[in-house]
Amino acid sequence: MNTVEIIDGGVTTPHGFKAAGVHSGVKYRSLDLGLLYSDVPATACVGYTSNNVKAAPVQVMMAENSPKLSAVVVNSGNANALTGHRGIEDAITMKESVAAELNLDPKKVGVMSTGLIGRFMDMHKIKYGINKAAKQLDVGREADDRLAEAIMTTDTVKKECAVRVRLSDGTLAYIGAVSKGSGMIEPHLKVLHGTTLSLVTTDANVSLGFREKWQEILDDTMNMVSVDGDQSTNDTCIFLANGLSGGAYADEDPEFISALQFVMKRIARSIAMDGEGASKLIEVQVNGAESKEDARVVVKAIINSPLVKTAIFGSDPNYGRIMMALGESGAKFDIERCRLIIKGGEMEVPILEGGSPVFQEERSVEVVRMAMDNKEVKIILNLAVGDHSATGWGCDLTYDYVRINAEYST
């Protein structure tokens, strides 16, 4: 029985969390600094970018590796990346400023940044924003929305989700999430190691041992998103569990795991759907793989292929591009038993069966084109060599993506 219930909420939906979003002046007008606070120290599981060029906030967070966090400060408009020793000092100062405002140990304060790379932070503005945000911490949808807006860069929509779930021991727990991400996105988040920044909150109770399970969830959700195949210097995903709902540890609770996977998949889809300049969401489902890793590799090969992405944009039924991506992925498959299906709207069209096209006539080609001419296009590919599967999300490649990224710093 599915006990997950979607509710109207965000990061302050779980008990004990407060949030704020303010304008500090880093951006010309819009909100640009957010603050998240937990009434009690929360167990922290954090995934960081695997890019070898890491932004200052990532370096600081990874060095401390704090098992508990009480607050997280995040700014947009400046990534604080490639800023040398000064950038490290500025990230530490952000933590210390929050700690001073909220009477916390600086090691219990997380920090994230997103925006332009290679520019020093204006710390007078940042400190002003932190002081302002600390005074505005609140609970509810307005607080959720202000934090969501404060972390946006080229995003066109806020990315939030909240659910309620009845755990196996009867405890009623809540999970909330907020994320940003639109470009420079192919997360490869690792625990203990255009940017995606995500904050996930829950009042469920988990142990520090949950980090391993958190990695598994990231691998099946956030790490299966790709907008342009470029991994950011700043990618960070922070999961905070303050345990205020009571109850036993939910580390292995199937109801809790299912609810958390649901939230993270929903966030992952929303990031792909809002890819820079995107007009279509692409979902790729690979079945029949020899291994989980092979399934994931094929998914990424397809959603990252510029030829596949442009074909989806133009509703061009050139399935050879999909099979090309499969062929160069390095994964094992049996071409004589492979099966390819494209779904769009209410239409599900078999494309390839046993290495041969199902359709040949022009009328049949138009049916495929009609399926592809939808806001969401799903590619289902069976490799016919095993029983492993994976699903990932991407978007089409449009003229606007080129325009946005050609003008980003100006």
Side-chain angles (χ1 to χ4, degrees):
M1 178 179 177
N2 190 349
T3 60
V4 180
E5 179 186 357
I6 303 172
I7 57 178
D8 180 25
V11 286
T12 69
T13 297
H15 296 93
F17 287 98
K18 298 182 179 70
V22 301
H23 173 63
S24 71
V26 174
K27 291 181 179 176
Y28 182 60
R29 289 179 179 170
S30 55
L31 304 186
D32 54 22
L33 188 138
L35 187 60
L36 177 67
Y37 173 75
S38 175
D39 289 340
V40 299
T43 298
C45 301
V46 188
Y48 304 103
T49 181
S50 293
N51 192 317
N52 288 327
V53 176
K54 291 177 170 59
V58 174
Q59 294 181 54
V60 170
M61 289 278 287
M62 289 180 68
E64 292 187 348
N65 189 29
S66 297
K68 296 276 187 177
L69 292 176
S70 294
V72 178
V73 59
V74 53
N75 74 276
S76 59
N78 189 326
N80 193 10
L82 293 177
T83 46
H85 185 67
R86 175 174 164 179
I88 298 292
E89 291 180 341
D90 288 345
I92 292 172
T93 298
M94 289 177 69
K95 286 160 53 67
E96 291 175 342
S97 297
V98 171
E101 292 287 346
L102 300 177
N103 193 28
L104 299 172
D105 180 346
K107 290 185 177 180
K108 287 188 168 60
V109 179
V111 59
M112 302 192 294
S113 297
T114 182
L116 287 172
I117 291 174
R119 294 189 179 180
F120 293 125
M121 302 284 276
D122 186 332
M123 293 308 293
H124 292 292
K125 293 178 179 178
I126 292 292
K127 288 179 180 179
Y128 164 74
I130 288 172
N131 174 266
K132 189 176 177 182
K135 294 175 180 176
Q136 294 184 19
L137 285 169
D138 204 355
V139 176
R141 294 302 288 131
E142 183 176 350
D144 293 335
D145 287 344
R146 288 181 69 83
L147 174 57
E149 181 180 339
I151 67 176
M152 294 169 66
T153 50
T154 56
D155 305 65
T156 64
V157 295
K158 297 172 184 176
K159 302 169 179 70
E160 298 177 280
C161 183
V163 301
R164 177 167 46 216
V165 58
R166 181 72 65 180
L167 304 184
S168 299
D169 67 356
T171 302
L172 188 62
Y174 293 83
I175 302 172
V178 63
S179 186
K180 64 83 54 181
S182 194
M184 196 189 287
I185 292 174
E186 187 188 7
H188 190 215
L189 295 158
K190 291 296 180 183
V191 175
L192 299 176
H193 287 265
T195 301
T196 60
L197 299 184
S198 303
L199 289 164
V200 185
T201 58
T202 183
D203 48 19
N205 193 17
V206 304
S207 73
L208 283 176
F210 189 70
R211 287 180 171 185
E212 185 175 339
K213 179 60 71 173
W214 179 237
Q215 181 67 67
E216 292 178 14
I217 293 172
L218 287 177
D219 285 342
D220 284 334
T221 56
M222 296 297 287
N223 288 348
M224 293 305 295
V225 176
S226 182
V227 167
D228 45 26
D230 289 330
Q231 184 185 164
S232 171
T233 57
N234 291 61
D235 285 340
T236 309
C237 185
I238 300 178
F239 170 74
L240 299 175
N242 65 18
L244 289 181
S245 67
Y249 282 137
D251 295 43
E252 301 295 334
D253 189 316
E255 302 297 342
F256 178 69
I257 300 301
S258 176
L260 188 53
Q261 288 173 329
F262 176 88
V263 168
M264 296 309 296
K265 285 181 180 178
R266 194 175 176 94
I267 289 294
R269 280 177 56 92
S270 69
I271 290 171
M273 191 175 295
D274 191 36
E276 287 174 340
S279 65
K280 297 178 183 179
L281 172 72
I282 305 171
E283 179 174 311
V284 178
Q285 179 182 313
V286 171
N287 304 312
E290 185 178 69
S291 67
K292 184 76 170 179
E293 183 58 28
D294 265 9
R296 288 172 174 159
V297 164
V298 174
V299 168
K300 284 295 189 73
I302 294 171
I303 60 178
N304 279 334
S305 167
L307 291 177
V308 172
K309 292 160 77 70
T310 49
I312 298 295
F313 171 59
S315 301
D316 180 17
N318 189 343
Y319 69 90
R321 295 181 175 185
I322 298 172
M323 300 308 291
M324 171 277 299
L326 166 62
E328 67 178 7
S329 70
K332 292 184 179 180
F333 60 94
D334 183 348
I335 191 63
E336 294 185 358
R337 294 193 296 146
C338 277
R339 180 175 173 81
L340 175 65
I341 295 172
I342 291 181
K343 291 182 64 175
E346 299 298 318
M347 303 180 69
E348 180 173 321
V349 187
I351 305 295
L352 190 75
E353 186 78 62
S356 299
V358 174
F359 63 89
Q360 287 287 334
E361 298 178 359
E362 185 62 30
R363 183 179 298 177
S364 300
V365 173
E366 286 305 311
V367 171
V368 184
R369 194 184 302 276
M370 289 170 61
M372 297 174 70
D373 193 22
N374 281 275
K375 291 292 291 181
E376 297 187 20
V377 178
K378 186 172 184 178
I379 298 169
I380 305 171
L381 179 61
N382 194 308
L383 307 187
V385 290
D387 55 7
H388 293 274
S389 62
T391 301
W393 304 272
C395 59
D396 57 347
L397 180 58
T398 69
Y399 306 119
D400 278 344
Y401 176 86
V402 177
R403 178 187 58 78
I404 291 168
N405 283 281
E407 301 172 353
Y408 186 69
S409 64
T410 55

